[in-house]
PDB file of all heavy atoms in Angstrom:
ATOM      1  N   MET A  97      -0.805   0.222  -9.394  1.00  0.00           N
ATOM      2  CA  MET A  97      -1.067   0.915  -8.133  1.00  0.00           C
ATOM      3  C   MET A  97       0.097   0.719  -7.156  1.00  0.00           C
ATOM      4  O   MET A  97       0.462   1.632  -6.416  1.00  0.00           O
ATOM      5  CB  MET A  97      -2.401   0.451  -7.554  1.00  0.00           C
ATOM      6  CG  MET A  97      -3.572   0.919  -8.409  1.00  0.00           C
ATOM      7  SD  MET A  97      -5.146   0.066  -8.065  1.00  0.00           S
ATOM      8  CE  MET A  97      -5.617   0.870  -6.526  1.00  0.00           C
ATOM      9  N   PHE A  98       0.702  -0.474  -7.160  1.00  0.00           N
ATOM     10  CA  PHE A  98       1.896  -0.670  -6.328  1.00  0.00           C
ATOM     11  C   PHE A  98       3.077   0.120  -6.896  1.00  0.00           C
ATOM     12  O   PHE A  98       3.863   0.716  -6.143  1.00  0.00           O
ATOM     13  CB  PHE A  98       2.243  -2.167  -6.191  1.00  0.00           C
ATOM     14  CG  PHE A  98       1.357  -2.886  -5.226  1.00  0.00           C
ATOM     15  CD1 PHE A  98       0.464  -3.867  -5.631  1.00  0.00           C
ATOM     16  CD2 PHE A  98       1.406  -2.580  -3.861  1.00  0.00           C
ATOM     17  CE1 PHE A  98      -0.361  -4.520  -4.728  1.00  0.00           C
ATOM     18  CE2 PHE A  98       0.574  -3.232  -2.943  1.00  0.00           C
ATOM     19  CZ  PHE A  98      -0.302  -4.206  -3.383  1.00  0.00           C
ATOM     20  N   PHE A  99       3.199   0.146  -8.225  1.00  0.00           N
ATOM     21  CA  PHE A  99       4.214   0.979  -8.874  1.00  0.00           C
ATOM     22  C   PHE A  99       4.058   2.437  -8.425  1.00  0.00           C
ATOM     23  O   PHE A  99       5.031   3.103  -8.090  1.00  0.00           O
ATOM     24  CB  PHE A  99       4.045   0.875 -10.403  1.00  0.00           C
ATOM     25  CG  PHE A  99       4.780   1.909 -11.208  1.00  0.00           C
ATOM     26  CD1 PHE A  99       6.106   1.733 -11.592  1.00  0.00           C
ATOM     27  CD2 PHE A  99       4.136   3.090 -11.600  1.00  0.00           C
ATOM     28  CE1 PHE A  99       6.784   2.703 -12.329  1.00  0.00           C
ATOM     29  CE2 PHE A  99       4.796   4.069 -12.352  1.00  0.00           C
ATOM     30  CZ  PHE A  99       6.133   3.864 -12.713  1.00  0.00           C
ATOM     31  N   GLU A 100       2.819   2.905  -8.413  1.00  0.00           N
ATOM     32  CA  GLU A 100       2.571   4.306  -8.033  1.00  0.00           C
ATOM     33  C   GLU A 100       3.064   4.596  -6.612  1.00  0.00           C
ATOM     34  O   GLU A 100       3.732   5.591  -6.374  1.00  0.00           O
ATOM     35  CB  GLU A 100       1.075   4.613  -8.164  1.00  0.00           C
ATOM     36  CG  GLU A 100       0.715   6.100  -7.993  1.00  0.00           C
ATOM     37  CD  GLU A 100       0.211   6.449  -6.623  1.00  0.00           C
ATOM     38  OE1 GLU A 100      -0.003   5.541  -5.773  1.00  0.00           O
ATOM     39  OE2 GLU A 100       0.036   7.646  -6.325  1.00  0.00           O
ATOM     40  N   GLN A 101       2.744   3.704  -5.672  1.00  0.00           N
ATOM     41  CA  GLN A 101       3.121   3.973  -4.285  1.00  0.00           C
ATOM     42  C   GLN A 101       4.624   3.846  -4.061  1.00  0.00           C
ATOM     43  O   GLN A 101       5.182   4.510  -3.199  1.00  0.00           O
ATOM     44  CB  GLN A 101       2.379   3.019  -3.323  1.00  0.00           C
ATOM     45  CG  GLN A 101       0.928   3.401  -3.122  1.00  0.00           C
ATOM     46  CD  GLN A 101       0.735   4.684  -2.313  1.00  0.00           C
ATOM     47  OE1 GLN A 101       0.859   4.692  -1.100  1.00  0.00           O
ATOM     48  NE2 GLN A 101       0.435   5.795  -2.981  1.00  0.00           N
ATOM     49  N   TYR A 102       5.290   2.977  -4.828  1.00  0.00           N
ATOM     50  CA  TYR A 102       6.703   2.725  -4.561  1.00  0.00           C
ATOM     51  C   TYR A 102       7.640   3.529  -5.455  1.00  0.00           C
ATOM     52  O   TYR A 102       8.642   4.063  -4.987  1.00  0.00           O
ATOM     53  CB  TYR A 102       7.020   1.224  -4.722  1.00  0.00           C
ATOM     54  CG  TYR A 102       8.367   0.856  -4.155  1.00  0.00           C
ATOM     55  CD1 TYR A 102       8.507   0.645  -2.786  1.00  0.00           C
ATOM     56  CD2 TYR A 102       9.498   0.758  -4.960  1.00  0.00           C
ATOM     57  CE1 TYR A 102       9.745   0.343  -2.226  1.00  0.00           C
ATOM     58  CE2 TYR A 102      10.735   0.442  -4.421  1.00  0.00           C
ATOM     59  CZ  TYR A 102      10.844   0.237  -3.052  1.00  0.00           C
ATOM     60  OH  TYR A 102      12.073  -0.061  -2.508  1.00  0.00           O
ATOM     61  N   SER A 103       7.323   3.632  -6.749  1.00  0.00           N
ATOM     62  CA  SER A 103       8.279   4.207  -7.708  1.00  0.00           C
ATOM     63  C   SER A 103       7.881   5.591  -8.204  1.00  0.00           C
ATOM     64  O   SER A 103       8.649   6.231  -8.916  1.00  0.00           O
ATOM     65  CB  SER A 103       8.404   3.267  -8.933  1.00  0.00           C
ATOM     66  OG  SER A 103       8.886   2.004  -8.558  1.00  0.00           O
ATOM     67  N   HIS A 104       6.712   6.080  -7.869  1.00  0.00           N
ATOM     68  CA  HIS A 104       6.180   7.321  -8.432  1.00  0.00           C
ATOM     69  C   HIS A 104       5.918   8.352  -7.331  1.00  0.00           C
ATOM     70  O   HIS A 104       6.555   9.395  -7.267  1.00  0.00           O
ATOM     71  CB  HIS A 104       4.897   6.946  -9.192  1.00  0.00           C
ATOM     72  CG  HIS A 104       4.188   8.070  -9.910  1.00  0.00           C
ATOM     73  ND1 HIS A 104       3.545   9.088  -9.244  1.00  0.00           N
ATOM     74  CD2 HIS A 104       3.968   8.305 -11.241  1.00  0.00           C
ATOM     75  CE1 HIS A 104       2.989   9.910 -10.128  1.00  0.00           C
ATOM     76  NE2 HIS A 104       3.240   9.468 -11.346  1.00  0.00           N
ATOM     77  N   GLU A 105       4.997   8.038  -6.439  1.00  0.00           N
ATOM     78  CA  GLU A 105       4.562   8.985  -5.402  1.00  0.00           C
ATOM     79  C   GLU A 105       5.719   9.526  -4.560  1.00  0.00           C
ATOM     80  O   GLU A 105       5.802  10.752  -4.333  1.00  0.00           O
ATOM     81  CB  GLU A 105       3.489   8.304  -4.527  1.00  0.00           C
ATOM     82  CG  GLU A 105       2.546   9.256  -3.836  1.00  0.00           C
ATOM     83  CD  GLU A 105       3.009   9.648  -2.451  1.00  0.00           C
ATOM     84  OE1 GLU A 105       4.195   9.393  -2.073  1.00  0.00           O
ATOM     85  OE2 GLU A 105       2.227  10.234  -1.736  1.00  0.00           O
ATOM     86  N   PRO A 106       6.653   8.679  -4.095  1.00  0.00           N
ATOM     87  CA  PRO A 106       7.707   9.191  -3.203  1.00  0.00           C
ATOM     88  C   PRO A 106       8.610  10.239  -3.858  1.00  0.00           C
ATOM     89  O   PRO A 106       9.364  10.930  -3.171  1.00  0.00           O
ATOM     90  CB  PRO A 106       8.517   7.936  -2.858  1.00  0.00           C
ATOM     91  CG  PRO A 106       7.578   6.803  -3.068  1.00  0.00           C
ATOM     92  CD  PRO A 106       6.731   7.213  -4.241  1.00  0.00           C
ATOM     93  N   TYR A 107       8.566  10.361  -5.177  1.00  0.00           N
ATOM     94  CA  TYR A 107       9.429  11.334  -5.875  1.00  0.00           C
ATOM     95  C   TYR A 107       8.590  12.468  -6.469  1.00  0.00           C
ATOM     96  O   TYR A 107       8.882  13.644  -6.259  1.00  0.00           O
ATOM     97  CB  TYR A 107      10.242  10.613  -6.950  1.00  0.00           C
ATOM     98  CG  TYR A 107      10.889   9.372  -6.385  1.00  0.00           C
ATOM     99  CD1 TYR A 107      10.550   8.107  -6.826  1.00  0.00           C
ATOM    100  CD2 TYR A 107      11.774   9.479  -5.304  1.00  0.00           C
ATOM    101  CE1 TYR A 107      11.093   6.966  -6.251  1.00  0.00           C
ATOM    102  CE2 TYR A 107      12.320   8.346  -4.717  1.00  0.00           C
ATOM    103  CZ  TYR A 107      11.989   7.096  -5.204  1.00  0.00           C
ATOM    104  OH  TYR A 107      12.519   5.984  -4.616  1.00  0.00           O
TER     105      TYR A 107
END
Side-chain angles (χ1 to χ4, degrees):
Chain A
M97 292 165 76
F98 283 113
F99 166 87
E100 188 261 354
Q101 285 289 282
Y102 194 81
S103 299
H104 182 291
E105 205 267 14
Y107 312 116

